[in-house]
Amino acid sequence: MENDFKEVSENYTIAEAVREAQRCLHCKVPGCKKGCPISNDIPDWIAELAKGNFGNAMKIIHGRSNLPAVCGRVCGHERQCEGNCVLAKKGAHINIGKLERFVADFDSSACLTHEAIPEKSRGRVAVIGSGPAGLTIAGDLSRQGFAVEIFEMESEPGGVLQYGIPEYRLPKEVVRREIKKIENLGVVFHLNTTVGENFTIDDLFAQGFDAIFMGTGTGVPKRLSIPGINHPAVRQAIRFLRRVSLYESGSISRDEVIVGNGDRVFVIGCGNTAIDAARTALRMGSAEVNVVYHRTVNEMSALRAEYDDAVAEGVNFLWNSSIIEIEGGDDDRLRSVLLETKMEDGSTEQHRMDADHVVMAVGSSPAARIVSTTDGIEVDERGYVLTREEPYGMSTRPGVFAGGDVTNRPATVVHAMRDAKQVAESIARYIDAVKLLQIINQ
Ligand code: SF4
């Protein structure tokens, strides 16, 4: 397990993929499509795949998704397409996620499809942030004839796909390939560029952009108020995962990751980020990893499949439990944590456990960089950007749109994509309308 960041799930061979696709019943009213947040035309591309027409399958998928190799790997299929497949009732749903991954990977390695780059004549759009929402906006609008430029603060694009989801679930090479396809549509990437620091939204409008999309996500982790929480051995999961990702890519040394090497680690929270942090801590050589959650297994927000894998790999789960005190030790390490567990009869029990590190995965909220340097963008009391229903996704500043986590609507990669698809349509309509008015008023 230690240092084994190789992708956990194996891809289909051609024969396996075609055989699996041939099991599909091509239902008249396909539950799979209904269950997919971006209404992927699943039966249609599975039908092409079943006939061996991989290129056609890819074209159909691209009609709805800019990131199929990502979705095929990290979507919650059990709750979405596969959970709604008619064959799921017999416990034999079509493995839609694995098939989507197969088509996308096959297309990339065989260079099967080449999308024509449309003429960029409808307007200019600046996209801030290159996570799932930003990439979706860029792909959709670029295909519709808009010139799109992405501004990304990191040295590599992808946001949470690049720095948040661990390599064993989503290899960075896959993310790079998907982004390359979006770049091939004519999208321009500006890396190491922080809007709100290097320049402002007003500067972008002055440069001639017709609309701006904020897909800046939630980069400020939430903190709990527990005695000892400020000790340096208490880390934020998103920062820990980012460091491991940088270490994996050779950008920082092993020493700079810190967690691992025989440590006893406690992860607070039980969403997908918590599970990612726990499984990553094991891969960094931790001797013992405990996930501490104040509710039960049935109330966790993590995907069941991720939880099952974590259990199989040796992660312990402490249900109905909270850390109520953190005792610091020497050398950037802890000594122990004090846990409180709710018992079935409603009473509580406390016990102390030896600990070296605590990793917090209790959510995050948006940074204020952009809104604090721009007039007219209102946020709610927690810093999420307020947007309208009409034009969908537009903030209180005309021409500035927002989507993805920064608006507090979506919860997963594919939900951020669904939201962004709607915002992309809205941006296109907005720019067309503004340009039409300009012509009428000339
Ligand atoms: Fe095929 Fe299942 Fe979708 Fe029916 S619901 S079309 S069997 S994948």
Side-chain angles (χ1 to χ4, degrees), residues 153 194-200 369 373:
M153 63 191 282
T194 307
V195 179
E197 271 176 32
N198 301 106
F199 46 81
T200 64
R369 244 184 335 264
T373 55

Side-chain angles (χ1 to χ4, degrees), residues 23-27 30-33 42-43 46 84-87 94 96:
R23 285 205 304 121
C24 174
L25 306 172
H26 310 297
C27 309
C32 54
K33 181 172 175 176
I42 295 164
I46 289 187
N84 285 286
C85 171
V86 69
L87 297 172
I94 303 293
I96 301 164

Side-chain angles (χ1 to χ4, degrees), residues 114-133:
H114 298 279
E115 284 190 70
I117 300 184
E119 197 193 330
K120 311 288 187 213
S121 55
R122 282 176 72 183
R124 290 179 69 202
V125 180
V127 172
I128 308 170
S130 62

Side-chain angles (χ1 to χ4, degrees), residues 86-133:
V86 69
L87 297 172
K89 291 185 195 111
K90 294 181 185 158
H93 63 75
I94 303 293
N95 285 305
I96 301 164
K98 223 170 150 182
L99 287 179
E100 186 178 23
R101 166 186 166 177
F102 169 83
V103 174
D105 286 4
F106 191 88
D107 178 66
S108 294
S109 56
C111 298
L112 218 52
T113 56
H114 298 279
E115 284 190 70
I117 300 184
E119 197 193 330
K120 311 288 187 213
S121 55
R122 282 176 72 183
R124 290 179 69 202
V125 180
V127 172
I128 308 170
S130 62

Side-chain angles (χ1 to χ4, degrees), residues 366-377:
R369 244 184 335 264
I370 294 178
V371 291
S372 65
T373 55
T374 311
D375 285 337
I377 302 177

